[in-house]
Each structure stands twice: as structure tokens, then as C-alpha cells.
Amino acid sequence: MRIAVILSLVLCHAGLAATSLFTNQTEIGNPARPGKTDFDEAKSSYLIAGGGENMWFTNDALHFAWTRLSGDFSLSAVVDWVNAGGNLHRKACLMMRESLEPDAAYIDAAVHGDGLISLQFRQMKGGLTREVQARQKGFGRVGLRRHGNTVYLRLPAPAGGLEPAGPFTRIELKDPVYVGLGVCAHDNKALETARFTQASLEREPASGNKETLHSSLETISIKSLDRRLIHHSRNHFEAPNWSPDDKFLLFNSSGRLYRLPRAGGEPQGIDTGFAVKCNNDHGISPDGTRLVISDQTKTGKSLIYVLPIVGGAPELVTLNGPSYWHGWSPDGKWLAYCAERGGEYDVYTIPVQGGQERRLTTAPGLDDGPEYSPDGKYIYFNSERSGRMQIWRMKPDGASQEQVTDDQWNNWFPHPSPDGKWIVCLAYAGDVKGHPANQPVRLRLIPADGGPVKELTTLFGGQGTINVPSWSPDSQNLAFVSYELLPE
């Protein structure tokens, strides 16, 4: 059982009561209007006024009440704003920082003026701030918990108390860190006041907690790089598709397919008939009327089937297995897939209605993840023929095979954007073999016409993060799954 020790630290020079949780208060950055912290011991309440232009990009400006702390902890409080109005982007934060410098690495649970709740973080000193937006909005109890290098947002559970809300990330901050409460007005001429009541700061044991895998379906904007939570579960799920009509997302869990409304909500199971051992290689036809699945129910080897988008009886496409679907031609007539034949994994194509399969690659080693470009001129795939897994492309008949990436990463599962401008891929460190689960990975954006590769985000993930087509129809966002092992 977790044993929580409530911290009660003496404030020696900043005017707060001796029973305050925090030892000091200060201005971070250079707000034009200095803030202050008032502590009400009877209510364990902090009234914090803060100014500052912003806390984003590479620098922060805010008023911060803090203490120094090492190891794992939980910080929580009921958060609300004293005055209505003000900037919609003003922030009341539960925060952990590596230093009090304005460009320090940090992570916080931020409640905005409009009720948006997000996990914000700067991975390194002087780096850019990123965020994962929670599904929930509003004001109430908010929690921030540190578990090793994992920090995550907690919000009220239906049965009471706080539970992981879905946003989480890994960040390395050198102990002791600065932990506390902060307010930023998001307007350097203003001073905004937030109330933090029933504040609690608890030490957590560093080990001995049972850990549970959490899965979070997120989207990321390729322009702002902001991440948004769509669905979170303690169940393992993977491989999101984005429907061509922008109405729903599709994912796999425990051999079954589920449909999730684009705006979020509860997933609904899809009828796949006898096929109840679907793996995470599935997709939606270009016209949005059919599904393709890879399933091993009947033979124990993965075979490819198609069925109506609303569900129904699967129709067999590939006679031989194992076959793992990855791409559907833009004209809807062909499927591209990875298959093992005679001990070699290569890229194949086959008519949607079935027939003779065609082998497109013959290089020794694994060729995988084939997907058509939106104009049908290329099939992109990943291959280890150069010694490390890299992105390649070829013409639909297998001709003119050429390497696209050549760097220190193991690059997997290329997905061309619907507008043809970008290729997104999943990257593992150079010493990682295969595509294992529960690894530090990153999503990378490759210009289709050549140019520097852009890093979208880093996360804890694996094959199921983005192994199937997952672009939004307008090519502005991607869907993916992140994972984390969190204490019970």
C-alpha cells in the first residue's frame, strides 16, 4: 500500500505561515507587475496573484510559490480563478521546475482561463514548450504526479479521489527540483489571481508500486506540435486510423476493432464476423466504404480480408499467410502488404477482390510497411537492406527502388499525407532491434520532395503507436497512441 507523507515545511523569509507547504515565493522571468502569495492555514488555501506575458516557447514569466524536493511526489489542489474575464490563456499551474530561470526545463498541470487543462513541458533548458491537452475542461481538483522520469496529469475519478487522466510524458529533471504553484496572467499589464484550495503535497515511495499499462489515443498538429488527448484507457489498444470523412477514428484492442467519434466519447465495437483475432494491421478504403483487416482466427496465420465499413462478413483476399496489410491504392483496386514466404519478409500487392499476388521486393532481410502515395506514383516502405531500418520508395510495380532516409535512427512505417507533402514515420534509437513495445520513440516528419526531417514529438510507444495510416483528411493532424506504465 502506498504510504503518503504530507510535507509541512517552514517558510523563513517570504511572509507565509510556518505550516505552509512551500518555503519561498518568487517572480520567474520579469513580469511588469509583481505578484504575491497569501496562505490561509485553516483552509490549506493559497491565493496567488501573478503577472507575466506568457509561459510558453523558450521562456516563462509568472509568480511561483515553491519548495525544493527530491524523488517521487504528488501535488494536488482545487483550482479556480477569483475574477471572471481576463485572458483566456492565463494559467494557474501545479509545477515542477529544474531551476528558477525563465528558460528552465519544467512540467506543469495548467488550468487556463477558459477551463482548458493541459500537461505542459519543456524537455530541456532553452527548448520549446509543448503540451498535451486533456479531454476534460473546467475547474476543480487537479493533480500532478512524478513517478521516476514519468510525470502525469491526474483528475477526479467517478468513484472519488484522483486518477490518471491520460496526458503523460517522460522528462529528466535533476533533483532537487522546485515544486509548487504558479500563476501567469498572459498579459504583462495585468495581474490575475487564482485560488488553490485543499492543497496537498505528498511524497511517494520510489519503488514497490504495482504498475499498470495505460494507453492514450492522441492527435498532434504538424504546425503547432500541440497534442490533444482523444481517448484514454487502462486497456491496451493500438493502431489508429482516421476516417476519410473526418467523423471517426478506428483502433484495435484484444483482437477486435473499435470506432471512436472524432470528438471523443466511448468506443463502439465493430462487427467483424468470425474474425476475432485481428492484429494491428487494418485500414479504411479511400472512398470510406470498406475496411481491410489482417486476422489469424481461421488458420493461426494472418490473412487479409475486406468487409463493409459498418461491419459484416469478412471476404478473404490472400490465400497464403502470414500476410499483413499496410496500404490501399488511391483508386481502390490494389492492396499492399508485408508477407513471409519461404523465410523472407517482402512487400507484395494483390487485387482487392483477390487473385495472384505480386512480389515487389527481393532484397535479403525485412521489407515492411508498404503504403501508396496519394497520387499512386509510389509505394513507400521500410527496409533493413542498408544495415539499419530506413524508409524507401518504389514504383507500384516494384521498379526504381530508392532510399529516402539515411540516418542514425531506425525508421519504420512511412505514411504519406493525403496532400502528398509529407511522410510521417516512427523512429527507434539506432541500437533497438525490431519494433518492440514500450520503448522511447519519436514521430518524424519527412518532406516528400526532400529536405530536413522535422521531429514532431517524443513519447513512450512502439509498433502500435502509428503502424497504420493515421493522417487527418486535411493533412494537418496525425493520430497516434502513446503508452505509459503508471503505479496503481
Side-chain angles (χ1 to χ4, degrees), residues 189-257:
K189 298 178 181 179
L191 199 65
E192 297 286 353
T193 303
R195 184 184 293 109
F196 301 82
T197 57
Q198 302 174 38
S200 173
L201 180 58
E202 305 175 353
R203 289 191 183 274
E204 303 286 351
S207 61
N209 289 317
K210 180 181 178 182
E211 294 181 327
T212 300
L213 180 70
H214 289 244
S215 307
S216 288
L217 175 55
E218 302 181 39
T219 62
I220 184 170
S221 164
I222 66 168
K223 290 185 177 179
S224 69
L225 305 187
D226 290 342
R227 291 162 54 177
R228 180 186 177 196
L229 182 74
I230 303 297
H231 177 64
H232 164 253
S233 175
R234 283 180 168 84
N235 296 322
H236 179 265
F237 63 82
E238 54 191 347
N241 300 128
W242 203 311
S243 68
D245 60 8
D246 199 28
K247 291 184 178 180
F248 67 90
L249 296 163
L250 186 77
F251 63 83
N252 170 278
S253 181
S254 300
R256 307 302 297 266
L257 293 184

Side-chain angles (χ1 to χ4, degrees), residues 241-483:
N241 300 128
W242 203 311
S243 68
D245 60 8
D246 199 28
K247 291 184 178 180
F248 67 90
L249 296 163
L250 186 77
F251 63 83
N252 170 278
S253 181
S254 300
R256 307 302 297 266
L257 293 184
Y258 293 85
R259 187 195 317 267
L260 180 72
R262 168 68 179 86
E266 291 303 314
Q268 300 296 319
I270 297 175
D271 176 19
T272 54
F274 67 82
V276 295
K277 294 183 179 180
C278 301
N279 59 42
N280 58 16
D281 300 313
H282 49 74
I284 304 171
S285 64
D287 63 6
T289 64
R290 288 178 291 177
L291 297 176
V292 59
I293 60 174
S294 304
D295 177 81
Q296 55 185 323
T297 304
K298 285 199 169 183
T299 67
K301 290 186 176 181
S302 178
L303 299 174
I304 298 174
Y305 303 83
V306 294
L307 62 150
I309 188 71
V310 295
E315 297 179 4
L316 181 64
V317 178
T318 56
L319 297 177
N320 299 320
S323 299
Y324 307 96
W325 177 86
H326 280 278
W328 206 316
S329 65
D331 62 9
K333 295 180 179 180
W334 293 85
L335 302 178
Y337 54 101
C338 172
E340 184 268 322
R341 307 286 186 260
E344 280 288 336
Y345 283 86
D346 283 292
V347 173
Y348 291 77
T349 58
I350 195 171
V352 173
Q353 69 273 18
Q356 185 68 38
E357 65 181 13
R358 182 175 185 179
R359 183 179 179 181
L360 302 186
T361 62
T362 58
L366 177 62
D367 294 317
D368 195 4
E371 191 172 331
Y372 289 88
S373 62
D375 58 11
K377 292 182 178 180
Y378 294 102
I379 292 177
Y380 285 83
F381 64 103
N382 51 276
S383 175
E384 62 182 2
R385 65 185 68 181
S386 64
R388 180 170 288 161
M389 190 62 72
Q390 297 294 325
I391 306 304
W392 289 66
R393 72 179 184 180
M394 59 186 166
K395 293 182 178 179
D397 62 0
S400 304
Q401 297 185 19
E402 57 181 340
Q403 191 168 346
V404 175
T405 62
D406 184 12
D407 53 38
Q408 74 273 27
W409 302 102
N410 280 307
N411 297 303
W412 288 78
F413 306 124
H415 304 303
S417 59
D419 63 10
K421 295 180 180 180
W422 303 100
I423 313 296
V424 70
C425 69
L426 177 73
Y428 289 86
D431 60 351
V432 176
K433 302 298 182 183
H435 46 61
N438 301 333
Q439 295 284 319
V441 295
R442 58 193 64 210
L443 299 182
R444 309 180 74 204
L445 198 62
I446 306 165
D449 293 334
V453 177
K454 177 181 180 181
E455 183 174 297
L456 291 178
T457 190
T458 59
L459 62 139
F460 194 61
Q463 178 192 19
T465 291
I466 191 170
N467 65 306
V468 295
S470 54
W471 281 93
S472 63
D474 63 4
S475 301
Q476 298 304 301
N477 295 273
L478 284 156
F480 65 96
V481 180
S482 61
Y483 301 96

